[in-house]
């Protein structure tokens, strides 16, 4: 028993996690199916390349396998891949656009955020400042290895092939100037290290392009191939103090040193005009002017802005500028309706490094023209989206004005996917040109990239589709309630019918039998009187009849009591009640014994009542039919069950289950009602044995819970 | 020191500088990291990529409040715009220490200041400038910006100290110049041309120092006009070593970071720490830059183990 109970206990304890596991496996498989893990064989050069990039700052474009950052923002990152990628190589050809800052690739990146060093991982790049291949550890801070000089330095507008191998806690990298084929190698180790993470592209203080980006599994052989060419194995330990930097960074020449200043290029001669003042040029006149402004948009038109306003600049050829560059433009300027424009003869970069902060305005202010050609920020609700000729046009409404937001980039691989009626915050250059507004809206915003769109909140829940869903759901709930109500009514009717059956059985088992006995006694009395028998005999018969009437009365009271509050104490005193019943029915001529086995415990009231009725029926049958001399009543308390046995030594009978009478059917039903098993065994001359075995149901919920934990039996009985 | 690598059981302090990757603030990172490491606390370090990007700084502050950091150390990018986010942090019961330049509110309760002594900085710059001044010379003060209250204190103190000795001296102080104004370059060049007796330029931030340095190099005035700068930066230090910058008034940001952590520790313990600490800057010149004391000021090793 103990081992069986232990097994059931263990099984019941295991059921919950097993069920959770079984439910979790399909959920996990579904999740994996919906969110497939990128494989560690990644190429961004082909048409079918992965484009699941995440931008952290910068102004990124992806076109024909080339990724370009058109901003000088410090530490702009574009990330992709899996956080579970461990040992791999990453190759890319890169081209910086400015003689400043650095650019390269990120490996084993985790916890990326917007910020210069806001990630945990490793960066390998080419730095203009010291013309070096550099590698270091970023962990929301930066600590690098001693850089390795790149032969010929690092030049703008030159393609370099960068290869990085991350194996274990070792990282090795090589860089090759694809014009001169000069190379540099560096090897690096950190203990402990970041042993897995995503890949990314990163630039600092310069824009640039990345091509042929590939990631593939790598082993020690690939690492060794580069490591053996590096002069030393470096570690992230530099610079701790300013003197470290001064001792380590080596400029090639004094001339190079002057180039590090982002303001070193001399601007052209001529008086610099404030952009806003160019609106004072007489209409239909052009005037030579020099302006200095920050680049706020490069594509599809070039816009500059200073503190007085913005200007549209048309250059003869692509000046390859980055957003954030400070440039000096000379050329013929003319005033426009709201903004000046310039046909530039010469554009020179005179500074760089940061983006212009957007001016937050309302759509009505934007429509006034006062902010034409300025970098602004406007909020609104998305009403529509359309693509044509490489332009993605969003229709926006902010409660006062409807306007267009045009994503005029070459982001063919990364179109904006926004939900209609989302509340957006958009940053871009405000223009009133009809070429963009098409005469349909008062103004348009020219967005620099998808990152200029911030979703403040999704669409409201009460869209027509959601309302339809809600109505369907409500109808379904009403239907379910109705079905439940009808089921309840049916169940109630069935319970009433069953209760009537039970009452019929009760009345048959008790009062009907007693009334039959009373009738029999009255008939006997009548016969005795007719035969003029002795008065003492008649008196005896009257006494028996009186006792039967009293019994009828008592049984009627008990039945009434059963219908109302249960008889008190029956849970604890079932055996004595049955013994009293037997003694009363049998009189003095029959030996009645009552005994219990096992450790008694309080029985559930319903169970005790059922056992009492079954016992009384069995006793009554024995008294009426068995012609016995002894009757035994046994109540056997077992571990998880109770068995009641009524045995007599009477004449017995041939028990045929298919032809039982009303009384036995009643006993069977009572046993079935409490989940018990009724057994009757009898043979002629062998006496009769009636037993009913029921599972014990503890009296209170806590005991039932304890029993469930111990045995695994259900807390609530199931019919 | 990434946030996600932090164990939840360890308190996390958010240290948010005016911007990252400048030595002046990396030193604060180092000081805070060392003090936090001694207490087995963790540091979350991140900031904007520009000193004037207070919008991004507010985003980071709000993000860290939502994460429920144990303390906030902030070098505000705007003296007024950051008041509400700091109040929000205090309302959440987050001890907050402002380092560098003050906010436009008084410290008290769970808000403390560990600031650069800007008045002392102005006086020290004036003392340095006096070495080169003669009667009738002009001095320029560049980078006074109301977004940084400390820059006003520095400028006022600098001018007062100069006028005590040179009452007739001309002080040119263009107002409203931002860090990144596109036309600053042209205006600076114009100012140099319009003031032939300009002898000293006192610049109050790194961007303006780089700009003036470039203009001086371009106009070949570097030998005649002395440049006294504020705030340490690796690039500026290199210029200092080459003699292109006369002196740099370095903020003791390493000590600010460490003191800020100590104050948060005391606030968390229920003690009442100092509500305002002023740290005098260090005047770094070619002569003393390699001294251990100055290199300690320029310590930026945040990877304490």
């Amino acid at each position: 028993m103990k081992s069986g109970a232990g097994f059931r206990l263990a099984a019941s304890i295991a059921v919950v996690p097993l069920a959770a596991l079984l439910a979790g496996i399909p959920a996990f498989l579904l999740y994996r199916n919906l969110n497939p893990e990128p494989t560690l064989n990644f190429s961004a050069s082909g048409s079918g390349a992965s484009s699941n990039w995440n931008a952290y700052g910068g102004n990124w474009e992806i076109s024909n396998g080339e990724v370009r950052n058109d901003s000088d923002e410090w530490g702009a990152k574009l990330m992709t891949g899996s956080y579970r990628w461990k040992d791999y190589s990453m190759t890319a050809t890169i081209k910086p656009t400015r003689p400043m800052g650095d650019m390269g690739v990120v490996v084993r990146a985790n916890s990326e955020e917007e910020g210069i060093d806001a990630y945990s991982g490793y960066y390998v790049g080419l730095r203009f400042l010291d013309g070096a291949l550099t590698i270091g550890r970023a962990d929301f801070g930066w600590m690098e290895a001693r850089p390795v000089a790149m032969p010929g330095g690092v030049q703008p507008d030159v393609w370099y092939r960068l290869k990085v191998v991350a194996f274990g806690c070792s990282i090795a990298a090589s860089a090759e100037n694809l014009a001169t084929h000069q190379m540099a190698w560096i090897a690096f180790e950190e203990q402990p290290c970041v042993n897995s993470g995503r890949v990314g592209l990163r630039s600092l203080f310069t824009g640039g392009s990345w091509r042929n980006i590939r990631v593939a599994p790598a082993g020690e052989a690939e690492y060794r191939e580069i490591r053996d060419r590096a002069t030393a194995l470096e570690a992230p330990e530099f610079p701790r103090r300013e003197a470290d930097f001064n001792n380590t960074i080596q400029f090639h020449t004094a001339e190079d040193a002057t180039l590090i200043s982002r303001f070193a290029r001399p601007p052209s001669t001529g008086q610099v005009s404030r952009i806003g003042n160019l609106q004072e040029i007489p209409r239909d006149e052009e005037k030579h002017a020099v302006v200095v402004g920050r680049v706020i948009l490069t594509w599809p038109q070039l816009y500059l802005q200073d503190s007085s306003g913005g200007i549209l600049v048309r250059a003869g050829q692509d000046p390859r500028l980055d957003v954030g560059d400070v440039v000096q433009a000379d050329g013929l300027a003319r005033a426009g309706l709201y903004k000046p424009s310039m046909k530039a003869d010469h554009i020179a970069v005179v500074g760089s490094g940061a983006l212009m902060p957007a001016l937050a305005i309302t759509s009505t202010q934007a429509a006034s023209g006062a902010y034409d050609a300025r970098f602004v920020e406007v909020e609104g609700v998305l009403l529509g989206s359309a693509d044509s000729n490489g332009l993605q046009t969003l229709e926006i409404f902010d409660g006062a004005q409807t306007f267009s937001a045009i994503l005029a980039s070459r982001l063919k691989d990364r179109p904006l996917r926004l939900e209609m009626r989302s509340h957006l915050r958009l940053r871009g250059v405000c223009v009133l040109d009809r070429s963009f507004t098409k005469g349909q809206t008062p103004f348009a915003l020219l967005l620099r990239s998808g990152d200029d769109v911030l979703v403040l909140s999704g669409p409201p829940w009460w869209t027509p589709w959601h309302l339809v869903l809600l109505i369907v759901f409500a109808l379904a709930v009403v239907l379910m309630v109705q079905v439940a109500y009808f089921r309840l009514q049916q169940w109630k009717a069935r319970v009433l019918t069953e209760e009537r059956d039970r009452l019929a059985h009760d009345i048959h088992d008790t009062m009907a039998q007693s009334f039959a006995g009373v009738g029999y006694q009255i008939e006997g009395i009548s016969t005795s009187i007719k035969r003029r028998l002795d008065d003492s005999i008649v008196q005896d018969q009257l006494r028996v009849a009186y006792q039967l009437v009293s019994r009828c009365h008592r049984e009627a009271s008990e039945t009434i009591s059963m219908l109302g509050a249960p008889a008190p104490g029956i849970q604890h005193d079932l055996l004595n009640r049955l013994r009293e019943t037997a003694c009363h029915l049998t009189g003095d001529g029959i030996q009645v014994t009552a005994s219990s086995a096992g450790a008694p415990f309080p029985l559930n009231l319903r169970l005790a009542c059922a056992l009492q009725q079954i016992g009384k029926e069995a006793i009554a049958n024995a008294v009426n039919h068995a012609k016995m001399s002894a009757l035994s009543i046994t109540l056997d308390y077992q571990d998880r069950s109770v068995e009641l046995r009524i045995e007599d030594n009477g004449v017995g009978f041939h028990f045929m289950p298919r032809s039982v009478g009303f009384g036995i059917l009643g006993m069977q039903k009572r046993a079935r009602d409490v989940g018990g098993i009724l057994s009757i065994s009898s043979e002629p001359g062998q006496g009769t044995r009636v037993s009913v075995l029921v599972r014990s149901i503890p009296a209170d919920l806590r005991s039932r819970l304890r029993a469930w934990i111990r045995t695994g039996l259900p807390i609530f009985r199931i019919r | 020191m990434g946030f996600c690598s932090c164990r939840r059981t360890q308190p996390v302090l958010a240290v948010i500088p005016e911007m990252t990757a400048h030595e002046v603030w990396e030193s604060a990172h180092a000081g805070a990291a060392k003090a936090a490491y001694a207490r087995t606390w963790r540091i979350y370090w991140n900031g904007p990529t520009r000193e004037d990007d207070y919008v991004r700084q507010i985003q980071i502050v709000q993000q860290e409040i939502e994460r429920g950091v144990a303390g906030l150390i902030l070098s505000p990018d705007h003296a007024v715009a950051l008041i509400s986010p700091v109040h929000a942090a205090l309302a959440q019961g987050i001890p907050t220490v402002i380092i560098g330049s003050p906010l436009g509110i008084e410290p008290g309760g769970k808000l403390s200041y560990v600031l650069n002594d800007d008045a002392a900085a102005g006086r020290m710059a004036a003392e340095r400038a006096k070495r080169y001044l003669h009667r009738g010379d002009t001095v320029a003060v560049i980078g006074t910006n109301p977004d940084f209250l400390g820059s006003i204190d520095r400028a006022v103190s600098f001018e007062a100290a100069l006028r005590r000795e040179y009452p007739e001296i001309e002080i040119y102080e263009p107002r409203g110049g931002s860090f990144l104004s596109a036309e600053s370059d042209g205006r600076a060049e114009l100012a140099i041309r319009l003031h032939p007796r300009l002898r000293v330029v006192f610049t109050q931030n790194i961007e303006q120092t780089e700009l003036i340095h470039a203009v001086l190099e371009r106009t070949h005035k570097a030998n005649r006009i002395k440049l006294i700068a504020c705030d340490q930066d690796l690039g500026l230090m290199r210029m200092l070593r080459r003699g292109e910058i006369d002196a740099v008034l370095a903020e003791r940001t390493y000590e600010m970071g460490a003191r800020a952590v100590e104050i948060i520790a005391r606030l968390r313990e229920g003690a009442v720490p100092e509500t305002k600490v002023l740290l005098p800057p260090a005047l770094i010149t070619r002569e003393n830059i390699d001294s251990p004391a100055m290199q300690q000021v320029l310590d930026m090793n945040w990877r304490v183990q």
Side-chain angles (χ1 to χ4, degrees), chain A residues 560-573:
Chain A
I560 291 166
S561 175
M562 282 285 290
L563 290 172
I570 191 171
Q571 304 101 305
H572 308 276
D573 200 25

Side-chain angles (χ1 to χ4, degrees), chain A residues 495-509:
Chain A
V495 167
L496 284 172
T497 305
E498 288 178 353
E499 193 62 17
R500 283 176 188 156
D501 286 348
R502 193 177 68 79
L503 283 173
H505 287 302
D506 278 348
I507 292 168
H508 165 266
D509 293 351

Side-chain angles (χ1 to χ4, degrees), chain A residues 64 126 194 229 475 609 629 635 691:
Chain A
N64 300 323
L126 292 172
V194 182
R229 291 170 179 262
L475 288 174
C609 289
S629 61
L635 196 55
S691 74

Side-chain angles (χ1 to χ4, degrees), chain A residues 505-543:
Chain A
H505 287 302
D506 278 348
I507 292 168
H508 165 266
D509 293 351
T510 56
M511 288 183 289
Q513 291 172 359
S514 298
F515 279 129
V518 170
Y520 176 75
Q521 289 297 328
I522 290 172
E523 189 179 349
I525 291 167
S526 173
T527 303
S528 297
I529 291 171
K530 284 177 184 172
R531 292 178 182 173
R532 297 181 186 280
L533 295 179
D534 190 359
D535 286 348
S536 62
I537 294 172
V538 175
Q539 283 177 357
D540 283 346
Q541 288 174 323
L542 283 170
R543 183 174 54 79

Side-chain angles (χ1 to χ4, degrees), chain B residues 130 133-137 139 158-171:
Chain B
K130 287 174 188 173
L133 292 178
H134 302 91
R135 266 178 203 284
D137 283 345
V139 173
F158 177 77
E159 291 173 24
L162 275 186
R163 289 207 186 281
R164 272 198 293 274
E165 199 156 327
Y166 299 95
E168 75 289 356
I169 203 162
E170 183 183 358
I171 296 177

